[in-house]
Amino acid sequence: MPEVSLLTNPVVSNGSPMDKSSVFAGSWLALGLVLAWALVAPQAEARAFFVFGDSLVDSGNNDYLFTTARADSPPYGIDYPTGRPTGRFSNGLNIPDILSEQIGSEPTLPYLSPELTGERLLVGANFASAGIGILNDTGIQFLNIIRIWKQLKYFQQYQQRVSGLIGVEQTQRLVNQALVLITLGGNDFVNNYYLVPYSARSRQFSLPDYVRYLISEYRKVLIRLFELGARRVLVTATGPLGCVPAELAMRSRTGECAIELQRAAGLFNPQLFQMLDGLNNEIGSQVFIAANAFGMHMDFISNPQAYGFVTSKVACCGQGPYNGLGLCTVASSLCPNRNLYAFWDAFHPSERANRIIVQRILTGSTEYMYPMNLSTIMDLDSRI
């Protein structure tokens, strides 16, 4: 791959003809936003934050889409500050929310939210969409979701919008200095390869070949993210796919993690880390930071009591074995104390589990974060 392709920056102004009064008013608006950006830019804790990926990090984009992959009804959001559903697949805050707290930023709004305008654009944006994967055919049963290449197109559109407010140069600076989080891969197994027996992908590929294909496709996504200006990207590995309540309900007899899905994660994650290391070497900078989500989850799955949980097998909200069947709804069994459960629903961690994960992202050793954790990144970047 030619090095120049990694260094292009496609931010372009998207101006349109307007009358003089509009130009005058727009100039003052732009000046105000440039001044606002100039005030916050030097502060590392106020850096912009961009999120890409699936339901683990979706903050509500799917609420604006015709899709079955939604978290827009109770009891989702029961522990959110408003006590109402927000589109997050959580009882309260998700990982991007908690990361925003830690970097001193407001929570990023979903890109499709009508509230994401003006100065709020400078905080960043969340492009994630529940149900998506690395591959375009992942999650087809959910109908209208924002697949990863569409998320990247929205990121480019975002930059065009911001450049109209603060100029191309300041927009490039905002994006280059931003923190980026991307979470992909799990759905390519649970909502594609293993979705049904003899799925199309499982007939096309053996598992090792499928993993290699996923990694090659993911590499293209990350290169494009770099081309779009991302310079600090947290890339999460897949969690322990066979240990979530949904898979225990379908595949486990005595509560043991599903072997085949664990094998899939065990093949995918080391190849992901190797690919990220190769990209960093090619670029000549530590752009992509690997987050070992598998290890972070397995700590409290293997020993829930050590982390204050009563169980890591049974979801707080659901029905059937392990509360792992179907959707979390008002008719579901609901635990009274969400802080005691590692999993909120059949697939997603509780807010308290998310906080444990974020703490590992912030301060974890190289067992969890490679080549460095987020606190080290923030300290290094504050000196630039």
Side-chain angles (χ1 to χ4, degrees), residues 80-122:
Y80 194 76
T82 62
R84 301 175 62 183
T86 62
R88 292 164 173 82
F89 287 76
S90 172
N91 58 300
L93 302 182
N94 62 12
I95 287 171
D97 295 323
I98 302 164
L99 281 171
S100 290
E101 287 180 353
Q102 297 298 325
I103 65 173
S105 175
E106 300 173 36
T108 53
L109 288 172
Y111 186 67
L112 298 184
S113 170
E115 297 177 17
L116 188 64
T117 59
E119 288 189 27
R120 299 199 75 170
L121 284 163
L122 305 184

